[in-house]
Amino acid sequence: MGNHERPLHCSSFGTVASAYAEHRPDYAPTAVRWALAAAPGSRALDLGAGTGKLTGTLVTLGADGVAVEPDSAMLAQLRRALPGVRALSGSAEEIPLPDGSVDAVLAGNALHWFDMAAAGPEIARVLAPEGVLAGLWNVLDTRVDWLAGLEQVSGRAVIGPRDTVATWRAATARLHLPGPGRAARFGAPEQAEFEHGQRRSADSLVETLATRAGVLVMSEQERQDTLGRIRAYLASRTETASGEFDLPMLTGVLRVRQL
């Protein structure tokens, strides 16, 4: 994705904030525990928090959490869902927190949107010594036959390299780096994946995929054609043609410690 395309994709989610809150999955608690296990304490920032999918898991696990999100519509959904959580307007490039105020910075399906040339120093600033940065992604288990077929039918704009079990590691391994010619602020990356899943119907899976940035920036005709093709495929598979089914996923985690 070029630098000129990134702002368009980043700003697309607020247009479907309600659908995002309803249909996007949360994160495997085992994955979040692993992300936090290397942190020196329990203070955690959910950066690029969206509607609070990751924030909710942090709260459930007992972390002392704060959320930061730049989009006002997404932030409103987060505050509605988690009224007891401190939720601030801000971005990865300008984090509204004091120096050394958190032990871990987590980003759920968001690290790839950050401009790490600016966000890297900001994340390092708010982290306590030896604090942890972790990116989390919910990925489809395309080792399952019907999901491999869905990937082919959907196309890369809908299911890209960060979205499948086969490719997420390579696609995310260097996202913590601040960019060419700049000193690294974080140590060697660790990656792990954890079983996850979501109860879906064909209609709700289509609604979920419709909240992907690649779909949101399509023309109306292209969007309708793409989603129609996905609906037809799901209707053709015995696993998804009627009623509810389990959507096999994993939560992948990239974890690095501040140098």
Side-chain angles (χ1 to χ4, degrees):
M1 184 185 303
N3 289 336
H4 65 288
E5 296 175 293
R6 189 182 303 272
L8 177 63
H9 284 73
C10 290
S11 63
S12 65
F13 296 111
T15 62
V16 291
S18 178
Y20 194 107
E22 180 178 357
H23 296 293
R24 283 290 187 109
D26 60 5
Y27 295 84
T30 51
V32 180
R33 287 192 191 96
W34 187 81
L36 295 173
S42 63
R43 300 171 301 169
L45 165 62
D46 183 2
L47 188 57
T51 62
K53 297 294 184 178
L54 177 56
T55 314
T57 305
L58 286 169
V59 170
T60 299
L61 294 178
D64 179 12
V66 57
V68 169
E69 165 58 35
D71 188 280
S72 60
M74 300 286 273
L75 188 60
Q77 291 288 333
L78 190 158
R79 287 171 170 163
R80 187 174 297 115
L82 300 166
V85 172
R86 184 183 179 206
L88 306 175
S89 178
S91 68
E93 296 76 22
E94 293 186 34
I95 303 172
L97 292 175
D99 296 0
S101 57
V102 296
D103 300 298
V105 174
L106 277 65
N109 278 79
L111 187 61
H112 52 276
W113 298 122
F114 300 168
D115 174 4
M116 286 302 290
E122 270 291 270
I123 292 168
R125 179 185 66 79
V126 301
L127 277 173
E130 299 187 343
V132 166
L133 167 64
L136 294 87
W137 291 268
N138 282 319
V139 301
L140 298 175
D141 191 349
T142 47
R143 296 169 298 187
V144 176
D145 182 63
W146 75 264
L147 278 173
L150 178 65
E151 178 187 11
Q152 294 299 313
V153 167
S154 299
R156 288 175 65 88
V158 184
I159 300 176
R162 290 184 304 269
D163 301 320
T164 74
V165 67
T167 54
W168 82 268
R169 287 175 177 258
T172 64
R174 298 176 61 82
L175 290 180
H176 63 289
L177 297 177
R182 297 176 181 269
R185 293 176 178 270
F186 304 101
E190 301 173 272
Q191 290 176 298
E193 54 200 36
F194 302 85
E195 294 290 335
H196 197 27
Q198 189 181 30
R199 196 72 177 159
R200 297 278 77 180
S201 66
D203 286 343
S204 63
L205 180 52
V206 171
E207 293 295 334
T208 302
L209 295 174
T211 67
R212 298 281 179 96
V215 178
L216 296 173
V217 300
M218 290 176 178
S219 69
E220 182 61 28
Q221 186 61 58
E222 185 182 7
R223 184 183 305 115
Q224 292 303 319
D225 290 347
T226 299
L227 297 179
R229 189 168 65 247
I230 293 170
R231 284 192 187 93
Y233 171 77
L234 295 174
S236 75
R237 298 289 308 212
T238 57
E239 301 94 335
T240 58
S242 62
E244 291 190 337
F245 51 87
D246 290 320
L247 176 64
M249 297 188 298
L250 300 97
T251 298
V253 187
L254 168 72
R255 183 178 73 179
V256 292
R257 187 186 294 273
Q258 182 179 213
L259 294 174

